[in-house]
């Protein structure tokens, strides 16, 4: 197929912003394209050379693009660079340069779609010594044969900015009209969501029509487009909308789709980037926890504080880069996979099966370990129960809830009302620090072996002369302070919990309440686990400091009874609520 025929359609697409006109132009085009080229036509229209999950990248630095264009047109490099800065679009620079070109090979021939795609793929795949030269040669070879307007689109694919304004769903629409009817769009969309390969879908349609979709199945190694959630502003509305449903912990991390077979585990991001080498700890964890042949699992990767077991903000691991520093980062802050869905198990496609079956499959597929866990959930239609679960999530560092319809299939690639997110609608920062008393400790692990992993901290309640717990404190200590702690607390050590300490948590060691530390927290939350203010706000919950951090200041000037009081913690909680209402 002549590339000029494709480019003519691109010009029409670029000239309109009307979706219907675009669909019309694309439908005509797709009907005309021979079936052995349609795959390439679709990829090029997406500004790509292959389905996104193959991660085919041009690998041509800006400098190299400039060199190739200068080489092919006879323009000085500095000129090409200046024009790029002026025009902001490499495609237009190439077009203008070719219009004024002084050199051209005598043997130029009309470009075909096949040749353009082949050469661009060659550019992407050239590797090793001499590859930059090879890339330039392949691009110059295309430019030699290209007309100015063809050069515009070739360069745009090269720099990854197609500018046609054609969304994937517009191509889906056009494919349905070209090879079936516009009412068949959902079938085409589903085929795309499952295979993530619009070029492949087009080829099947062109060769066998809709009946060809029978052969599209989930395949381990081929990522599925993620199911997304709608949102509602209140728990009442969530419960009303879904009735009896599964409420899951909504973890604040990174969505991961894990593809597991006996030979390999591959982790994909929501955008189909391959994350395997960035999260070797998740891969290891899965290898250990997985107890089936093969599967596709959906989940959230969340960094964990090894000592307190608490979830950490995702920023803590966001800087993990391939290779460099990953090993060190794993030691410091490991990541756990919180699995929440199972799309395929042992070769069986579970997408159409109800949520409850998929959850059961997930439970069969995984043995829970420290590194790989199932998303915590309850099944209920009771608002009070939902509220209590929500509070627990927040206190443990989660973002909110995901409510899921018990009968719902996995709707790949779509955002629907079968998954509803309910997040906390406010973020408060504690304006002030609190001074808390050390009453217990938990043994350290990993780098903290030999010292404490976390301290159990309490506020003071003068009403019953008791120390009531508000958090486990593990952050904010430098190494020197940390390793000096056991010595410093040695004299306060007690065999049993001090009678004045009110705690539901079982610490590894107990101390006489004496030492006061200054602590900064993100906010005060309701907590079923801590005893400070128990019953003051809600009959079955106390209050906790969320994301507590030692400021570095020992309040040696304060005795334990001068620590922040329970009443102050309650009033901090109430003032946060005022701030948001
Ligand atoms: P969206 O994903 O809806 O486009 P977003 O990227 O801003 O929006 P959020 O609004 O925070 O993300 O919520 C959706 C995300 O929550 C999911 O994509 C997933 O990564 C994450 N998540 C955490 N826990 C769960 C869970 N139990 N079930 C489903 N998703 C979860």
């Amino acid at each position: 197929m002549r590339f000029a025929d494709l480019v003519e359609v691109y010009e029409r697409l670029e000239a309109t912003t009307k979706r219907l006109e675009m669909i019309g132009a694309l439908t005509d085009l797709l009907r005309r394209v021979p079936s052995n080229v349609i795959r390439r036509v679709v990829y090029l229209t997406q500004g790509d050379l292959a389905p996104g999950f193959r991660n085919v990248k041009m690998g041509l630095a800006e400098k190299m693009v400039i060199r190739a264009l200068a080489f092919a047109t006879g323009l000085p490099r500095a000129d090409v660079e200046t024009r790029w800065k002026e025009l902001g679009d490499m495609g237009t620079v190439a077009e203008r340069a070719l219009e004024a070109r002084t050199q051209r090979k005598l043997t130029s021939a009309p470009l075909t779609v096949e040749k353009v795609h082949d050469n661009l793929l060659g550019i992407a795949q050239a590797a090793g010594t001499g590859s930059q030269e090879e890339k330039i040669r392949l691009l110059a070879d295309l430019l030699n044969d290209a007309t100015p307007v063809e050069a515009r689109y070739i360069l745009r694919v090269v720099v990854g900015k197609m500018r046609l304004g054609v969304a994937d769903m517009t191509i889906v629409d056009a494919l349905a009209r070209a090879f079936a009817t516009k009412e068949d769009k959902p079938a085409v969309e589903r085929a795309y969501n499952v295979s993530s390969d619009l070029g492949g879908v087009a080829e099947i349609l062109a060769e066998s029509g809709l009946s060809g979709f029978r052969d599209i199945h989930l395949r381990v190694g081929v990522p599925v487009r993620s199911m997304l959630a709608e949102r509602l502003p209140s728990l009442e509305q969530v419960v009303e909308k879904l009735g009896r449903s599964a409420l899951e912990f909504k973890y604040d991390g990174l969505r991961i789709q894990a593809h597991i077979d006996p030979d390999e585990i591959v982790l994909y991001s929501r955008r189909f980037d391959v994350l395997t080498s960035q999260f070797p700890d998740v891969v290891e964890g899965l290898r250990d926890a997985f107890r089936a042949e093969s599967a596709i699992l959906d989940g959230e990767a969340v960094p964990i504080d090894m000592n307190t077991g608490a979830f950490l903000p995702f920023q803590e691991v966001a800087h993990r880069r391939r290779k460099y520093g990953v090993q060190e980062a794993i030691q410091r802050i490991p990541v756990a996979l919180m699995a929440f869905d199972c799309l395929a198990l042992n070769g069986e496609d579970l997408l159409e099966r109800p949520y409850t079956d998929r959850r059961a499959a997930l439970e069969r597929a995984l043995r829970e370990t420290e590194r790989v866990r199932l998303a915590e959930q309850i099944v209920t239609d009771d608002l009070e129960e939902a509220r209590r679960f929500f509070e627990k999530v927040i206190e443990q560092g989660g973002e909110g809830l995901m409510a899921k319809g018990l009968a719902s299939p996995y709707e790949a690639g779509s955002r629907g009302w079968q998954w509803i997110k309910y997040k906390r609608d406010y973020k408060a920062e504690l304006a002030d620090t609190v001074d808390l008393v050390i009453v217990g400790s938990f043994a350290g692990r990993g780098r903290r072996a030999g010292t404490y992993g976390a301290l159990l901290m309490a506020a003071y309640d003068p009403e019953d002369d008791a120390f009531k717990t508000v958090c486990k404190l593990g952050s904010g200590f430098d190494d020197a302070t940390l390793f000096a702690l056991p010595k410093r607390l040695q004299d306060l050590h007690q065999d049993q919990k001090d009678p004045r300490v009110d705690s539901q948590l079982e610490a590894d060691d107990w101390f006489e309440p004496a030492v006061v530390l200054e602590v900064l927290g993100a906010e005060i939350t309701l907590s079923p686990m801590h005893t400070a203010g128990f019953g003051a706000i809600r009959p079955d919950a106390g209050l906790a400091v969320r994301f507590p951090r030692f400021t570095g200041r020992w309040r040696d000037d304060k005795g334990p009874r001068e620590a922040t009081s329970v009443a102050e913690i309650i009033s901090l909680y109430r003032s946060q609520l005022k701030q948001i209402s």
Side-chain angles (χ1 to χ4, degrees), residues 406-423:
L406 294 175
S408 61
Y410 190 94
E411 288 168 359
S414 73
R415 190 184 294 284
W417 290 103
Q418 287 305 317
W419 281 17
I420 303 176
K421 55 192 176 191
Y422 170 61
K423 293 199 250 189

Side-chain angles (χ1 to χ4, degrees), residues 169-223:
M169 282 309 135
T170 310
I171 303 180
V172 165
D173 232 319
L175 282 169
R177 289 167 201 240
F179 298 108
T181 68
K182 71 176 196 226
E183 282 71 36
D184 293 310
K185 186 182 167 201
V188 180
E189 194 176 331
R190 184 181 181 280
Y192 175 42
N193 288 335
V194 170
S195 66
S196 306
D197 179 359
L198 209 43
V201 169
E203 192 175 270
I204 290 175
L205 277 172
E207 279 172 0
S208 355
L210 287 175
S211 63
F213 287 167
R214 276 196 309 261
D215 300 329
I216 294 194
H217 297 294
L218 287 191
R219 281 221 320 270
V220 174
V222 177

